[in-house]
């Protein structure tokens, strides 16, 4: 068994020799990317942090930009709308994604590959392409409205686009693969012996699912929901296209602060707040993931 | 009997899953036929068929210009991130040094943060350095964004490459360089190729950071976004179809390469494989 995992539990002596032998080269290998990421990612974030507390009128740092956007009657509704929409989108992704992942795990190995392929292909296709298609599908003269009219179910087109409904549909469509793939992976890791034991002990398939399988996969489900929620907070493309400027989210507001108003301080303050929220949620995600059976 | 109820439940689940898969694939199912439409309107199904939108894509210098920019940018950024990311992944897997976990998380951060944050930070930074709107600045930004995917994939690939093979090569008298070029590299080629394609797609599809930093340079996604904001032009469906084709080919290639590299094994098929 010691041979099988030399890095984890190998004998101490060779490891010690490797250390002194490889240490300088390992550092030189990691250095190029490290320098790049520090200079072109970490430093810019610190610069933005600096701008977020910059007082245009004086040399002292100020928190007024943070106060500005958290109390403003114009900006605050955008923040709330983003959070609300992100929550709705995450909920729908879970409702649609969990049963799909469950169904895939019950297919034969070959069919699983096909089904996962169908989930992965949209995942790879440009978000612009996927968003664009919804204009064709949901527009006033789109597929859905015309079909409903021809069936005589409606007389006037239902306005799906340029409101929160359209943005939500587009976001759920983009985010579903992010939901399905991790949950599917987690479901595969569930020890099937547990389910067998439950069945042997006389549990119905209903109670096996709700009392054994679902609780085991719940941490993975919540972790993935946290991830999808993080992703929805930063959405820019979908609200811009399917919202038609009427449903701006935080990211669109940040765009406006940079490209239209020039208020870099305010943009930086929003970016830093979003950064903090993202990091907190991500910590929660990691914690939930650590509770998932490996 | 509960058998009937279980069968019914299974059929219900299958129907539900079918609807969800249909919903996921619906954009593709609509865009591809639309691109062959003869009409100027966004009618679906199209009233007639033609290749006019492909013609108007290949005849438009602005689209061709954007394509060249996108391809050059994605090629350079993915190659750079493959080199830097693979070196870093090797150090992460085999090396022991203080702060390794922290450095690794730092590498992953551009992948996790919403791109709008990165876009704003880099916009301000580049503006202060006066490199906003330069192609070099774009390459650097895309390299930072694509590198996490390379590090992630190559870390798994190097981890699954048995360290004893390296040790044997060294014991048998191979120099460190020989071991790397003759033993390690040939084994890592499929994974590296998969990581390179992944990085290429990440860069090729990137919109938000590109829009903030690119100035007068247009990439395909940036041009698409600009067009979508002003008017609906069916030329976009032709480009979209070409991009879908491109995605399916690349996802197939990556799948094949990862399968050959043995990276897919623990995931699909045998649920017990990674329990060990």
């Amino acid at each position: 068994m010691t041979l099988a995992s030399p890095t984890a539990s190998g004998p101490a002596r060779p490891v010690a020799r490797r250390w002194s032998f490889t240490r300088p080269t390992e550092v030189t290998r990691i250095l190029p990317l490290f320098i790049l990421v520090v200079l072109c990612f970490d430093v810019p974030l610190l610069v933005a942090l600096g701008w977020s507390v910059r007082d245009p009128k004086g040399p002292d740092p100020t928190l007024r930009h943070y106060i500005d956007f958290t109390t403003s009657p114009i900006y605050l509704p955008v923040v709330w709308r983003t959070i609300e929409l992100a929550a709705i989108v995450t909920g729908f992704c879970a409702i649609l994604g969990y049963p799909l992942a469950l169904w895939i795990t019950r297919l034969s190995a070959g069919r699983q590959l096909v089904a996962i392929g169908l989930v992965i292909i949209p995942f790879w296709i440009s978000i612009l392409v996927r968003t664009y298609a919804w204009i064709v599908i949901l527009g006033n003269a789109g597929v859905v409205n015309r079909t409903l009219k021809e069936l005589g179910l409606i007389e006037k087109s239902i306005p799906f686009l340029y409101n929160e409904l359209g943005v939500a549909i587009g976001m759920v469509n983009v985010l579903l693969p992010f939901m399905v793939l991790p949950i599917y992976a987690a479901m595969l890791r569930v020890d099937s012996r547990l389910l067998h034991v439950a069945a042997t002990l006389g549990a119905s398939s209903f109670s096996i699912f709700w009392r054994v399988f679902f609780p085991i996969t719940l941490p993975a489900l919540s972790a993935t929901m946290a991830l999808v929620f993080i992703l929805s907070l930063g959405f820019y493309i979908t609200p811009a296209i399917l919202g038609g400027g009427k449903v701006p989210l935080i990211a669109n507001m940040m765009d406006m602060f940079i490209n239209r108003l020039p208020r870099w301080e305010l943009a930086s303050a929003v970016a830093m707040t979003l950064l903090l929220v993202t990091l907190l949620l991500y910590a929660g995600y990691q914690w939930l993931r650590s509770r998932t059976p490996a | 009997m509960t058998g009937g109820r279980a069968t019914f439940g299974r059929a219900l689940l299958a129907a539900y899953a079918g609807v969800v898969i249909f919903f996921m694939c619906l954009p593709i199912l609509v865009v591809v036929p639309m691109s062959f439409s003869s009409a100027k309107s966004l009618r679906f199904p199209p009233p007639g068929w033609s290749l006019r939108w492909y013609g108007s894509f290949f005849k438009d210098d602005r689209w061709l210009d954007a394509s060249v920019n996108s391809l050059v940018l994605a090629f350079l950024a993915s190659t750079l991130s493959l080199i830097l990311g693979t070196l870093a992944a090797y150090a992460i897997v085999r090396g022991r040094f203080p702060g390794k976990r922290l450095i690794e998380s730092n590498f992953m951060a551009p992948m996790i943060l919403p791109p709008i944050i990165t876009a704003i930070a880099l916009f301000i930074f580049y503006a202060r350095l006066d490199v906003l709107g330069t192609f070099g600045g774009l390459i650097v930004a895309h390299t930072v964004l694509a590198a996490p995917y390379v590090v992630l994939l190559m870390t798994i690939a190097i981890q699954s490459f048995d360290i004893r093979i390296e040790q044997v090569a060294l014991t048998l008298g191979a120099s460190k360089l020989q071991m790397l070029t003759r033993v390690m590299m040939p084994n890592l080629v499929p994974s590296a190729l998969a990581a390179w394609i992944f990085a290429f797609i990440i860069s090729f599809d990137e919109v938000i950071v590109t829009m903030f930093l690119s100035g007068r340079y247009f990439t395909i996604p940036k041009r698409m976004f600009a067009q979508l904001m002003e008017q609906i032009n069916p030329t976009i469906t032709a480009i979209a179809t070409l991009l879908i084709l491109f995605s399916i080919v690349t996802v197939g290639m990556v799948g094949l390469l990862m399968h050959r590299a043995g990276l897919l094994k623990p995931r699909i098929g045998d649920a017990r494989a990674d329990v060990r």
Side-chain angles (χ1 to χ4, degrees), chain B residues 70-80 196 200 203:
Chain B
S70 275
L71 289 171
V72 171
L73 176 60
F75 179 82
L76 292 174
S78 57
T79 308
L80 260 173
W196 183 76
F200 190 96
S203 160

Side-chain angles (χ1 to χ4, degrees), chain A residues 217-235:
Chain A
T217 51
L218 191 58
L221 176 64
S222 357
T224 314
M225 284 175 78
L227 195 67
V228 169
F229 189 78
I230 295 176
L231 290 169
S232 14
L233 285 183
F235 256 57

Side-chain angles (χ1 to χ4, degrees), chain B residues 22-51:
Chain B
F22 177 73
F23 171 71
M24 284 174 83
C25 297
L26 191 58
I28 310 171
L29 299 175
V30 166
V31 164
V32 176
M34 289 282 303
S35 71
F36 297 103
S37 169
S38 60
K40 223 180 143 79
S41 65
L42 289 176
R43 273 184 80 86
F44 187 90
W49 307 101
S50 84
L51 288 173

Side-chain angles (χ1 to χ4, degrees), chain A residues 6 19 26 29-30 40 42 51 95 99-100 103 124 128 132-134 146 173 188 236 241 254 258 268 275 282, chain B residues 14 16-17 23 27 31 42 44 91 96-97 106 112-113 120 122-124 140 163 201 211 221 228 237 267 271:
Chain A
W19 160 278
E26 301 308 352
R29 280 194 191 100
I30 210 161
C40 298
D42 298 348
W51 272 84
I95 292 169
L100 175 61
W103 177 71
W124 274 67
L128 281 166
Y132 169 74
W134 289 106
R146 268 192 308 119
N173 184 261
L188 283 185
Y236 172 85
I241 294 174
M254 288 157 86
I258 288 282
S268 303
L275 176 74
Y282 197 74
Chain B
Y16 189 84
F23 171 71
V31 164
L42 289 176
F44 187 90
R96 284 148 187 272
F97 43 88
N106 198 178
I112 295 149
L113 283 196
I120 284 185
L122 278 175
F123 176 89
I124 293 175
V140 169
I163 195 169
I201 297 289
M211 279 200 304
L228 282 172
T237 58
R267 286 268 173 106

